[in-house]
Amino acid sequence: MNTNNDSKLRNEINFIINRISQELVNEFGKSHVEAMNLINRSDVEASFMENEMGFHESPYNWAIGILTEHNDDEALEKYLYH
């Protein structure tokens, strides 16, 4: 069985999701609850499960992608004028 590999992948996904959340909070002014809601609505976890290449993208770029997906212009302005 691949339970050890599944557990390792799960830990890596949780780690990167936490890092993406930190970026949304620290760089774009989201609360932790808002950040996690955006991440969950964007199916980030499923993206990592389908294609592990997503791990090569920085948490900051993931945050920008999530904000873009949800048309959060106000938060993206912070990126443009950062």
Side-chain angles (χ1 to χ4, degrees):
M1 257 180 135
N2 290 333
T3 30
N4 195 24
N5 287 342
D6 291 344
S7 178
K8 182 180 176 190
L9 179 59
R10 168 71 39 221
N11 288 338
E12 290 174 3
I13 290 171
N14 289 339
F15 177 77
I16 195 76
I17 284 175
N18 284 330
R19 296 284 313 277
I20 295 167
S21 175
Q22 288 174 353
E23 293 294 337
L24 289 166
V25 170
N26 296 333
E27 296 296 326
F28 299 101
K30 299 298 181 187
S31 72
H32 181 70
V33 171
E34 288 174 313
M36 293 309 294
N37 283 337
L38 285 167
I39 291 167
N40 289 333
R41 288 190 353 235
S42 295
D43 290 328
V44 171
E45 184 175 338
S47 294
F48 286 118
M49 296 294 280
E50 290 174 14
N51 186 355
E52 293 181 25
M53 291 300 292
F55 287 107
H56 296 286
E57 196 68 44
S58 74
Y60 187 79
N61 286 345
W62 270 98
I64 292 170
I66 289 167
L67 294 170
T68 301
E69 176 183 342
H70 294 287
N71 299 314
D72 192 334
D73 297 331
E74 184 179 330
L76 287 169
E77 283 179 9
K78 292 181 181 185
Y79 164 71
L80 293 174
Y81 302 109
H82 189 261

